[in-house]
Amino acid sequence: MYKEQIELAKEHFAKILERELARVERMKSDTEVVDFSNLPKTIIGIVGGDGIGPFIAEQTQKVLEHLLHEKIANGKIELRVIEGLTIENRIAKMQAIPDDVLAQLKECHLILKGPTTTPAKGDGMPNIESANVAMRREFDLFANVRPVKVPQLGIDWVFFRENTEGEYILGSQGIEVTPDLAIDFKATTTQGSERIIRAAFEYARKNGKNRVTVVTKANVVKTTDGKFLEIAAEVAKDYPEITWDDWYIDIMTAKLLDESRRTDFQVMVMPNLYGDILTDEAAQLQGGVGTAGSANIGNKHAMFEAIHGSAPRMVAEGRAKYADPSSLIRAAAMMLEHMGLQTEAKNLQMALEICGQFERNVVLTGRADGATNDQYTDYILETLNDPNLAQKYESYMK
Ligand code: IPM
Ligand code: MG
């Protein structure tokens, strides 16, 4: 029975295996790492995306132009706006990232990207892969770094989400073997696991953190998550000064809400999908996904984005101008850090925290009873320009 369907599925699976094994070989030979703090000229591509994306990207560009104006004026940095990564254009070309857009992105060292719409089954749009997922894969941006900080609650977490494997890498390549049987694939490699786990431990070492927590579901998803956990145990041996522990994703989501335990966590590392879920939960504690930024780091490129989607509902209801730009501005701060511009990055982070968590003179609600994103960005800029910024921040931290 179903002989023909099984044969077709086998052929499909064989192709997947060939591609994945080729990817493993590419990872093995990809050892050269670009130092982004040491480029003669840095080109930053700014991609608006869809929905609220162009609105918050415009505000973020304003902040970058302010902080980098000297370097832009003397040609050390170029902000290059790249159009065309919209759902309409992607559907017209039937490509996750249209070729001409991809070619332009490849000319940039760093990318700052607004959210892009991802078609889902049943929404009437064609099955186009997520532009985020495609970009992460295309540029091999394996480390998705997502910090969440709520000083009043003693929360200071950095999530290292594996960004190129797991359920995601083959997310658009599942098969409906018969109308009754759908199969998706999850892929985990030694190289892919090792590089993200090592990135987490390196970060801990460089930033004076003494604990790394590995999150899997290795008790059930034994082969792939089991590999991830096994590799974590190996990598941890190179970092004897750092304590490490492992948790399953279900209890981990509970522990992030446990006031007596959650402040113990520092650096967390996990496969792709668990990181997707856990970081939304964590961001909610900080004030919502609209407040959280994210770095997607690879050996040769890096892309910085908000952790949320394009919020089409806000646009449909005419509320795009009330969307919180903090997420993307926070991502810009991470980008400045990645470029070695530590002072600019630190100042921007302090201003974001003062505006969003402590002072709150201008407040966004996502609706007309709150500030517009333009007003909020001006508030951030004003705070940045305060000559007593650092003292102000310290006084709140006491
Ligand atoms: C994120 C987003 C994306 C993801 C979506 C838009 C594909 O939720 O960056 O966390 O799942 O990775
Ligand atoms: Mg997500």
Side-chain angles (χ1 to χ4, degrees):
M1 240 184 18
Y2 298 119
K3 229 176 162 160
E4 194 184 327
Q5 285 94 332
I6 292 173
E7 276 316 308
L8 283 173
K10 275 160 81 178
E11 270 169 40
H12 180 84
F13 188 49
K15 282 199 197 106
I16 286 178
L17 294 181
E18 275 164 29
R19 279 198 297 266
E20 284 301 284
L21 289 168
R23 189 172 66 82
V24 168
E25 291 310 313
R26 282 201 301 280
M27 279 191 282
K28 282 188 194 163
S29 59
D30 180 24
T31 49
E32 195 194 317
V33 180
V34 173
D35 178 359
F36 292 97
S37 65
N38 209 4
L39 299 170
K41 177 182 177 177
T42 308
I43 304 173
I44 301 171
I46 300 189
V47 181
D50 312 301
I52 59 167
F55 292 81
I56 63 174
E58 189 189 331
Q59 301 305 324
T60 309
Q61 186 173 347
K62 217 161 76 179
V63 173
L64 284 175
E65 277 164 358
H66 172 79
L67 281 170
L68 301 174
H69 75 145
E70 235 164 74
K71 294 186 175 65
I72 294 172
N74 68 24
K76 293 280 286 177
I77 291 177
E78 179 188 336
L79 301 184
R80 189 180 286 180
V81 175
I82 295 174
E83 312 278 356
L85 198 67
T86 59
I87 189 66
E88 296 80 11
N89 194 32
R90 292 164 58 215
I91 288 178
K93 309 260 167 68
M94 276 309 282
Q95 284 183 306
I97 306 175
D99 286 339
D100 56 324
V101 178
L102 186 61
Q104 291 176 64
L105 290 173
K106 284 191 171 157
E107 283 169 21
C108 303
H109 301 99
L110 300 164
I111 300 164
L112 187 85
K113 186 184 93 23
T116 48
T117 301
T118 305
K121 208 169 168 64
D123 65 9
M125 286 191 254
N127 176 17
I128 299 180
E129 192 186 27
S130 145
N132 299 30
V133 175
M135 207 180 288
R136 292 167 185 165
R137 191 191 53 234
E138 197 64 48
F139 293 101
D140 207 17
L141 307 173
F142 63 85
N144 193 331
V145 186
R146 299 184 159 183
V148 166
K149 217 169 150 185
V150 193
Q152 305 92 308
L153 301 179
I155 290 174
D156 188 359
W157 298 326
V158 184
F159 295 86
F160 280 75
R161 165 187 177 190
E162 201 293 315
N163 213 19
T164 49
E165 306 199 331
E167 288 82 351
Y168 279 69
I169 182 85
L170 302 166
S172 301
Q173 295 173 53
I175 26 176
E176 291 214 31
V177 181
T178 71
D180 295 325
L181 177 63
I183 305 244
D184 271 318
F185 302 99
K186 169 164 177 165
T188 297
T189 67
T190 302
Q191 290 70 22
S193 305
E194 185 181 341
R195 62 188 185 174
I196 185 68
I197 294 165
R198 207 167 273 290
F201 275 93
E202 278 298 313
Y203 174 88
R205 176 173 278 174
K206 286 198 189 110
N207 290 276
K209 311 274 182 190
N210 55 21
R211 181 167 175 200
V212 172
T213 300
V214 181
V215 185
T216 67
K217 187 72 188 177
N219 53 341
V220 175
V221 188
K222 292 186 193 294
T223 314
T224 46
D225 284 5
K227 178 183 254 320
F228 196 88
L229 194 52
E230 238 171 61
I231 292 173
E234 275 308 304
V235 172
K237 289 185 189 150
D238 294 340
Y239 301 83
E241 80 280 20
I242 296 168
T243 310
W244 80 282
D245 53 356
D246 81 275
W247 291 75
Y248 296 135
I249 179 65
D250 48 351
I251 188 65
M252 194 67 207
T253 58
K255 286 295 141 192
L256 291 194
L257 303 181
D258 179 346
E259 285 168 26
S260 64
R261 299 295 297 278
R262 66 182 175 197
T263 53
D264 296 342
F265 297 113
Q266 300 178 13
V267 177
M268 288 165 261
V269 59
M270 65 225 66
N272 210 337
L273 183 60
Y274 309 140
D276 180 43
I277 297 165
L278 214 50
T279 54
D280 269 15
E281 185 195 11
Q284 190 61 39
L285 296 168
Q286 181 183 263
V289 290
T291 65
S294 148
N296 298 264
I297 296 175
N299 287 344
K300 308 222 165 29
H301 293 267
M303 182 264 280
F304 300 81
E305 63 182 345
I307 81 162
H308 55 77
S310 58
R313 197 176 316 152
M314 285 193 85
V315 182
E317 292 170 6
R319 294 189 286 117
K321 62 174 185 286
Y322 304 111
D324 192 345
S326 313
S327 53
L328 200 57
I329 298 177
R330 206 175 282 271
M334 297 181 81
M335 181 174 78
L336 294 170
E337 206 177 325
H338 200 61
M339 294 165 74
L341 302 174
Q342 306 305 346
T343 310
E344 288 85 344
K346 180 109 218 304
N347 287 345
L348 185 51
Q349 267 149 8
M350 287 192 291
L352 278 163
E353 275 178 54
I354 291 172
C355 296
Q357 310 245 6
F358 299 119
E359 194 177 77
R360 296 168 57 83
N361 285 348
V362 177
V363 177
L364 291 148
T365 61
R367 300 181 180 273
D369 59 354
T372 63
N373 40 44
D374 199 39
Q375 287 163 341
Y376 194 75
T377 308
D378 285 344
Y379 175 41
I380 292 175
L381 290 176
E382 220 173 86
T383 309
L384 258 178
N385 285 337
D386 184 341
N388 297 318
L389 172 67
Q391 287 96 309
K392 198 175 191 179
Y393 183 72
E394 287 309 320
S395 71
Y396 283 120
M397 291 300 282
K398 271 193 202 122

